Amino acid sequence: MKKTFWLLIVLINCTGAIAQALLTPFEKSGGKETATYFETIDFYKRLAVKNKQLRIMKFATTDAGYPLYLILFAANGNFKPAHWVAKNKVVVLINNGIHPGEPDGIDATMMLLRDMCSGKIKAAANVVLGIIPMYNIGGALNRNNYSRVNQDGPKSYGFRGNAQNLNLNRDFTKLDSKDAKAFTKIFHYLNPDILIDNHVSDGADYQHTMTLITTQHNKLGGAIGKFLHNEFEPAIYKSMEQQKWSMTPYVDFYGSTPEKGWAAFYDPPMFSTGYAALFQTISFMPETHMLKPFADRVRSNYALMQTIAEVTSKQSQKLKANRLEAIEQLKEQKRFPLSWKADTSTYDIIRFKGYQALYKHSNVTGFERLYYDRNKPFEKDVKFFNSFTGEKFVDAPIAYLVPQGWWGVMDNLKLNGVKVKRLKHDTLINVEVYRIEDYKSAIAPFEKHHRNSNVTVSKKDQNLEFFKGDYVIYCNQPAKRYLIEMLEPTSDHGFFAWNYFDAILEQKEGYSDYRWEDVAAEYLVKHPEVKQQMDERKKTDTSFAASPKAQLNFVYKNSPYYEPEHMRYPVFRLK
């Protein structure tokens, strides 16, 4: 009898210890603290020991020297992507801690997954979750109390920059960090139908705890874009309203007040939502409101992820069917926009719960300052401009050809699942060739780059020699949209914009003026058409007419002595 009694006491104590171990730092602190990187990983390892629905995987090393973890949750314990495809399961990827100073998703996801494992929340059998517990590990290790001055809690948190001091939410396509390369591997390993990338907002004050950035439905395009806009997103807003977490789209007023409304967040591919759209993946970027208490923000984030999982489960067949249809539609698409702008001719009416914006004397500057009076809440119907139109259209080529020397570009394409072929022999091919005629390079650096913009090009057909090993990239593949976005030189966020091809902008050979004078004079005698072109330009361009150097350079650039590689864009189009 005594043995049975003491065994029971031991079991009770063990059960209590396990329960205590599975409480998060957020819960233990009464909603005041967020988990550290090591506490987060330890929590998932402990959870996985007792739950066959979980698997922990390691992917590539990050800039901080630690591997990026992926936590998989499958109700039936099958963790093979081929099985998910065969069983028509929806895959949802949750990314946490891209900005570790915005940690709400980190703590909310820990509790959500634990509650799914315990049965507190019924886990859908037709939904698989992939979770990156903490993406920016370097930023998470750089813990502080001050960098999020606008934010109400937690007590301490990580920093926005990673171990290279890069903002990873600008690195989804340029891939300057090991972190982003590891994320890319995870993204294409899972091929998610939905991506959730958890954040905390900055900006105006208002009543809503949760705001949401959704992949722009026009950019996502096709059947999946229409499904997102007409059915999926409205269901999420409705469910959150029923749970008393009234949401609004991410707030970015035209001005300091909502009367003029605002446009949906413009999400180019450097952001997670824009990147996901290149692969017909719906993406959500939850932005909890910075001035709400940390505990409320985490609970709101929990509710939204639970809601997305539940709506996904209910609409899984439609979601999968519409995404597959969009992928098929993409194969037939011929023209693609390279940039987008808000369409101000059409809008939705949304209910916004704000606080009155007023002005008062500043104790810092002595001038008038803006503030939001929480004693004067209001609700208003406002305009939300949630449609975008494409600009800068290009026709998709049959294929792109890339000389093998541009290995950095090719490495990034391969990471993104692009299928490539290599020439087996030296070959003369007729291709369309771009020449960079003008561009502007930013004076100030942005995420390690002086970005190129306002690019203008000329193009012509040429027979060029390509060598054994050079790359041929056919566009008729799932990565078609990504290829065009990244390889076209006039794309706002392609490889040329991110300086991958800047070597072509610098002339490698030149001449001594006194030597070139003699050669140029002889060349003009043999090529009077060049002399005529130069004379015509003198008549219309006074600065050119007054500059011997400019005239010598004109002859040089119109002669075979001028290197063809200068300003010639090294990605060629097979039409």
Side-chain angles (χ1 to χ4, degrees):
M1 187 67 181
K2 286 184 178 181
K3 286 183 179 180
T4 303
F5 172 77
W6 286 113
L7 181 60
L8 196 60
I9 293 296
V10 169
L11 287 173
I12 291 171
N13 287 336
C14 286
T15 302
I18 291 171
Q20 184 68 19
L22 292 179
L23 288 177
T24 66
F26 171 83
E27 293 165 310
K28 292 176 184 178
S29 66
K32 301 294 184 183
E33 297 180 8
T34 184
T36 67
Y37 168 71
F38 296 108
E39 287 172 334
T40 302
I41 300 305
D42 181 66
F43 175 89
Y44 283 109
K45 287 181 177 179
R46 287 172 179 262
L47 192 62
V49 168
K50 296 292 181 180
N51 293 281
K52 294 181 179 180
Q53 307 106 303
L54 291 186
R55 172 172 290 180
I56 300 178
M57 300 179 67
K58 284 184 183 180
F59 279 76
T61 300
T62 63
D63 287 348
Y66 293 91
L68 199 61
Y69 282 95
L70 174 66
I71 315 299
L72 292 177
F73 176 87
N76 66 355
N78 193 312
F79 303 103
K80 296 178 180 179
H83 169 81
W84 307 335
V85 173
K87 297 298 182 180
N88 211 34
K89 294 182 183 293
V90 180
V91 179
V92 179
L93 173 59
I94 300 173
N95 189 37
N96 290 317
I98 190 170
H99 298 150
E102 306 170 17
D104 305 7
I106 295 170
D107 302 285
T109 307
M110 292 164 72
M111 294 187 294
L112 180 69
L113 198 61
R114 178 201 60 202
D115 292 348
M116 284 183 171
C117 287
S118 69
K120 182 179 179 181
I121 294 177
K122 185 177 180 181
N126 58 350
V127 178
V128 174
L129 296 181
I131 295 161
I132 298 175
M134 204 174 288
Y135 178 28
N136 181 356
I137 299 171
L141 297 176
N142 185 9
R143 207 166 170 93
N144 73 99
N145 306 86
Y146 300 104
S147 59
R148 294 288 293 177
V149 64
N150 295 327
Q151 192 168 287
D152 184 2
K155 287 183 178 179
S156 64
Y157 38 76
F159 182 64
R160 191 177 188 88
N162 84 330
Q164 280 195 69
N165 205 31
L166 287 170
N167 184 344
L168 295 180
N169 200 34
R170 310 292 186 272
D171 203 30
F172 281 94
T173 52
K174 63 186 178 69
L175 298 179
D176 284 327
S177 64
K178 291 182 179 179
D179 313 56
K181 292 178 188 294
F183 174 90
T184 303
K185 290 180 180 179
I186 288 173
F187 184 88
H188 290 287
Y189 172 76
L190 293 178
N191 185 21
D193 300 288
I194 295 174
L195 169 65
I196 302 172
D197 186 21
N198 287 313
H199 288 248
V200 179
S201 75
D202 287 307
D205 196 7
Y206 39 80
Q207 298 175 51
H208 303 276
T209 300
M210 175 62 75
T211 73
L212 188 64
I213 294 172
T214 303
T215 302
Q216 221 300 311
H217 62 93
N218 303 107
K219 291 174 62 181
L220 187 59
I224 191 65
K226 292 177 183 177
F227 169 72
L228 169 64
H229 184 56
N230 297 329
E231 298 184 54
F232 196 82
E233 188 179 23
I236 292 170
Y237 273 81
K238 181 179 179 181
S239 178
M240 287 292 282
E241 186 76 37
Q242 291 170 346
Q243 296 178 69
K244 309 302 181 185
W245 291 113
S246 174
M247 283 200 311
T248 187
Y250 180 75
V251 178
D252 189 14
F253 301 142
Y254 288 144
S256 58
T257 60
E259 281 71 23
K260 294 181 180 179
W262 67 90
F265 182 78
Y266 177 56
D267 55 350
M270 69 175 177
F271 296 118
S272 60
T273 50
Y275 171 76
L278 299 182
F279 301 96
Q280 296 74 56
T281 294
I282 293 173
S283 183
F284 297 103
M285 189 183 290
E287 293 267 6
T288 53
H289 187 242
M290 60 185 181
L291 293 178
K292 301 300 182 289
F294 178 54
D296 289 349
R297 300 199 320 259
V298 171
R299 293 185 184 107
S300 175
N301 204 303
Y302 180 111
L304 179 59
M305 290 189 292
Q306 181 184 358
T307 294
I308 292 174
E310 290 173 349
V311 172
T312 296
S313 178
K314 291 176 183 177
Q315 302 195 15
S316 62
Q317 291 185 354
K318 284 187 177 181
L319 194 159
K320 294 292 287 188
N322 281 290
R323 186 175 181 226
L324 288 172
E325 184 179 341
I327 292 170
E328 289 302 310
Q329 289 170 340
L330 183 70
K331 293 178 182 178
E332 303 302 320
Q333 187 172 339
K334 303 298 183 185
R335 287 179 59 76
F336 290 82
L338 296 178
S339 64
W340 298 80
K341 66 176 181 179
D343 181 358
T344 55
S345 68
T346 183
Y347 53 84
D348 299 328
I349 296 294
I350 61 172
R351 192 71 174 168
F352 178 69
K353 300 177 181 180
Y355 298 114
Q356 188 170 347
L358 300 169
Y359 288 86
K360 63 182 179 180
H361 177 79
S362 168
N363 294 326
V364 178
T365 67
F367 293 92
E368 292 292 291
R369 52 147 293 192
L370 171 70
Y371 76 102
Y372 294 90
D373 191 341
R374 290 195 168 189
N375 293 315
K376 296 181 178 179
F378 65 80
E379 293 188 25
K380 292 181 180 179
D381 288 335
V382 298
K383 295 177 180 178
F384 180 54
F385 300 92
N386 193 24
S387 292
F388 279 63
T389 55
E391 298 181 304
K392 294 166 54 177
F393 281 83
V394 295
D395 293 326
I398 294 172
Y400 291 101
L401 286 92
V402 182
Q404 57 199 302
W406 300 97
W407 52 266
V409 168
M410 294 309 306
D411 285 350
N412 288 350
L413 295 182
K414 292 173 185 176
L415 270 174
N416 279 281
V418 172
K419 297 174 183 176
V420 304
K421 294 186 177 181
R422 306 189 76 169
L423 294 177
K424 296 180 179 180
H425 308 283
D426 296 353
T427 312
L428 192 68
I429 304 175
N430 183 264
V431 291
E432 188 176 41
V433 181
Y434 284 125
R435 179 179 174 80
I436 308 298
E437 297 294 347
D438 196 18
Y439 68 97
K440 290 184 180 178
S441 191
I443 297 172
F446 177 74
E447 296 298 314
K448 286 179 62 176
H449 295 262
H450 292 261
R451 296 186 65 231
N452 297 325
S453 62
N454 300 102
V455 181
T456 58
V457 298
S458 60
K459 55 186 178 181
K460 64 179 180 180
D461 293 344
Q462 280 185 273
N463 290 319
L464 293 181
E465 185 176 12
F466 292 88
F467 300 99
K468 178 182 177 181
D470 288 347
Y471 293 94
V472 182
I473 309 160
Y474 288 94
C475 287
N476 190 22
Q477 58 176 294
K480 184 176 183 179
R481 175 91 177 273
Y482 167 82
L483 281 170
I484 291 166
E485 196 90 30
M486 298 308 299
L487 292 180
E488 287 294 325
T490 54
S491 171
D492 291 342
H493 290 269
F495 289 126
F496 184 77
W498 288 112
N499 308 125
Y500 272 79
F501 296 113
D502 274 13
I504 67 161
L505 305 177
E506 180 186 9
Q507 194 171 323
K508 300 300 187 291
E509 298 283 7
Y511 55 83
S512 297
D513 288 4
Y514 77 92
R515 168 59 180 156
W516 176 239
E517 283 275 5
D518 297 330
V519 178
E522 183 179 343
Y523 183 77
L524 288 178
V525 170
K526 294 180 179 179
H527 296 84
E529 73 280 2
V530 178
K531 177 73 164 58
Q532 183 180 353
Q533 291 171 18
M534 186 169 68
D535 290 342
E536 290 295 328
R537 182 168 174 182
K538 286 179 185 179
K539 294 175 184 178
T540 58
D541 188 339
T542 55
S543 61
F544 179 75
S547 173
K549 190 173 186 66
Q551 293 173 41
L552 281 172
N553 200 45
F554 178 87
V555 179
Y556 181 72
K557 287 191 172 181
N558 283 277
S559 78
Y561 299 100
Y562 172 56
E563 62 202 66
E565 292 81 9
H566 182 223
M567 306 298 281
R568 186 177 73 187
Y569 186 60
V571 177
F572 306 97
R573 291 164 49 98
L574 185 65
K575 295 193 297 181

